[in-house]
Amino acid sequence: MNKKWLYLAMLAAPQAVADDLIHWWDASVTALYGEEYDLAPSDKQTGFTFETAGGWKYGDWFAFQDVTYFNGSNVDKTSTTYGEISTRFSASKILGKEIGLGAVTDLSLAMTFEEGEGQVKSFLYGLGMDIKIPYFSYFTLNTYRRHAIGSGNLSDGWQVTPAFRMDFPLGNSNIVFDGFIDWVFATDNQGYKENFHFNPQLKYDLGAVIFGQHKKDKLFVGFEYDYWQNKYGVNGIDQNTYSVIAKYHF
């Protein structure tokens, strides 16, 4: 499938599946603008991220497609794409009883496929955990083994990915703090350095204020912070920047 059209399938597919298989789903599009990005044709970028997430009979899923445009008059490449598709098979859902211990409320088989332009395809597999932490709307922790696809991809190793969300009521609206961390460590190739990517968003529910409570959790505005130590596994390239964002949930 053409990567630039992947988001269309991501947005449309859940609507075509029976309710007994899909328990809930969400789709959104985010517009971003930021500066001071490293290892790119231009340090100024405008992007669109198409996302879908949901729960199904045997687990959950999350997928996104980034379309990034490089802002500059002298760039040799004007745009690029990158996407990930992730799913987890829940032990609690498959066995029909709660599987967990203490703060860990569920265990899952977690899998992710990464694909972008160039030698960046990877398949990840490992253990996922749902963890109940006070003040967090959700907190998940996936530990993966990374398998790089293609001779030019050196990112074999291990990866830990926590994802989280916190909600802070404010008047008749809400502030959301959510995001993820990708920590790639114990890499198998000396040419690919361990790297740490922290990517949170701080968003205000503007839709609830402008359009009323029936549009709550629809339109958000805010900021995305991006810290990436040893970006793309390149030693000494530490990206530290932010973008202004607007996000709409369908």
Side-chain angles (χ1 to χ4, degrees), residues 52-241:
T52 180
W56 62 298
K57 186 175 182 179
Y58 299 114
D60 54 39
W61 81 81
F62 174 72
F64 73 87
Q65 179 72 49
D66 286 338
V67 181
T68 302
Y69 297 92
F70 303 115
N71 307 125
S73 58
N74 297 316
V75 297
D76 56 357
K77 182 178 177 63
T78 59
S79 66
T80 191
T81 60
Y82 175 79
E84 295 183 10
I85 299 177
S86 303
T87 190
R88 302 192 307 167
F89 293 91
S90 161
S92 295
K93 288 185 176 181
I94 293 173
L95 298 177
K97 61 180 181 179
E98 184 173 317
I99 303 296
L101 179 64
V104 178
T105 60
D106 197 8
L107 299 175
S108 301
L109 169 63
M111 296 183 292
T112 293
F113 179 68
E114 305 173 342
E115 183 181 20
E117 298 182 8
Q119 298 293 328
V120 294
K121 296 180 178 67
S122 299
F123 178 65
L124 291 69
Y125 54 91
L127 176 67
M129 293 188 291
D130 292 350
I131 305 175
K132 187 176 182 180
I133 301 177
Y135 307 111
F136 282 80
S137 302
Y138 67 76
F139 189 96
T140 64
L141 180 65
N142 297 330
T143 302
Y144 296 108
R145 174 62 182 174
R146 292 185 57 88
H147 174 65
I149 301 173
S151 59
N153 189 343
L154 305 177
S155 67
D156 290 294
W158 294 87
Q159 178 173 317
V160 172
T161 299
F164 62 89
R165 172 170 170 157
M166 303 178 74
D167 289 80
F168 303 95
L170 182 64
N172 61 348
S173 187
N174 191 40
I175 292 177
V176 174
F177 179 62
D178 61 1
F180 69 88
I181 295 172
D182 282 339
W183 176 33
V184 182
F185 63 97
T187 55
D188 296 349
N189 297 282
Q190 294 184 353
Y192 186 90
K193 296 297 183 180
E194 297 182 0
N195 57 90
F196 179 87
H197 190 191
F198 180 40
N199 190 234
Q201 295 180 349
L202 185 65
K203 297 167 290 193
Y204 178 67
D205 190 343
L206 185 62
V209 176
I210 297 177
F211 304 114
Q213 289 298 303
H214 67 290
K215 288 295 186 180
K216 186 178 180 181
D217 293 324
K218 289 290 186 180
L219 176 62
F220 291 86
V221 294
F223 301 92
E224 178 182 274
Y225 177 65
D226 193 287
Y227 175 72
W228 198 341
Q229 184 184 44
N230 294 334
K231 184 177 181 179
Y232 300 145
V234 179
N235 188 34
I237 301 298
D238 299 336
Q239 180 171 283
N240 187 4
T241 187

Side-chain angles (χ1 to χ4, degrees), residues 3-29:
K3 291 179 291 182
K4 293 184 178 180
W5 298 104
L6 173 61
Y7 69 90
L8 294 177
M10 288 164 42
L11 299 184
Q15 303 178 65
V17 182
D19 291 340
D20 59 345
L21 182 60
I22 302 297
H23 297 165
W24 68 272
W25 71 279
D26 176 75
S28 65
V29 58

